[in-house]
Amino acid sequence: MLHSRADLKAERTTMSTTTVRLPDELKKRLADVAEQAGMTSHALILQAISDRVEADEARNRLYDEAERRYALIAETGQSIPWSEMRRYLERRVADETTEPPTARPLSE
C-alpha cells in the first residue's frame, strides 16, 4: 500500500527513530529507485518495510487458519475431499446454485 504525503506527514508525528546501516552501493540503488518513483529514500524504505510486514502478517494469518482447520480435522476426524470441494467452488464461480459439500470421516 503506497503512502501519500499526508499519510507520511501524519506518521511523522508518532514515529520513533531507527538507524539502518546500508552498504554504499545499496544506498545508491535505493536513492536511484526512489527518485525514479518520485519518492524520497525515506518514503521508499517505509513503503518497503510496510509491504513486508503486511505480507508476513497475511502469511501468519494463513498459517494460523491452516492450523485451526487441521486441529478441527484431527479433533473430529472429518473432512471434505478436495475433488468435491473443487467441484463446489467451480460451480460457485460459474454462478450455479449448489449445496456445499458436507464433511465426513476421513476413512470414507
Side-chain angles (χ1 to χ4, degrees), residues 35-47:
E35 183 179 350
Q36 290 172 357
M39 303 170 76
T40 64
S41 292
H42 174 78
L44 185 61
I45 290 168
L46 286 179
Q47 186 62 57

Side-chain angles (χ1 to χ4, degrees), residues 8-99:
L8 293 175
K9 232 179 206 178
E11 288 179 11
R12 277 191 200 112
T13 61
T14 60
M15 286 187 180
S16 62
T17 300
T18 299
T19 300
V20 178
R21 298 187 195 297
L22 300 175
D24 290 340
E25 175 59 25
L26 180 57
K27 186 173 180 180
K28 169 79 171 91
R29 290 170 52 209
L30 171 67
D32 291 345
V33 170
E35 183 179 350
Q36 290 172 357
M39 303 170 76
T40 64
S41 292
H42 174 78
L44 185 61
I45 290 168
L46 286 179
Q47 186 62 57
I49 292 170
S50 177
D51 289 350
R52 175 58 190 260
V53 169
E54 287 176 16
D56 285 1
E57 288 171 339
R59 187 185 66 245
N60 290 340
R61 286 190 303 272
L62 178 67
Y63 289 164
D64 291 345
E65 181 66 14
E67 287 291 332
R68 186 189 68 73
R69 290 181 184 198
Y70 181 77
L72 184 61
I73 291 169
E75 180 184 320
T76 65
Q78 296 192 341
S79 183
I80 299 171
W82 170 239
S83 59
E84 291 177 27
M85 181 54 77
R86 181 181 177 134
R87 193 168 35 253
Y88 166 73
L89 293 171
E90 287 170 344
R91 288 176 178 160
R92 291 280 312 270
V93 168
D95 284 332
E96 295 177 22
T97 302
T98 184
E99 291 293 318

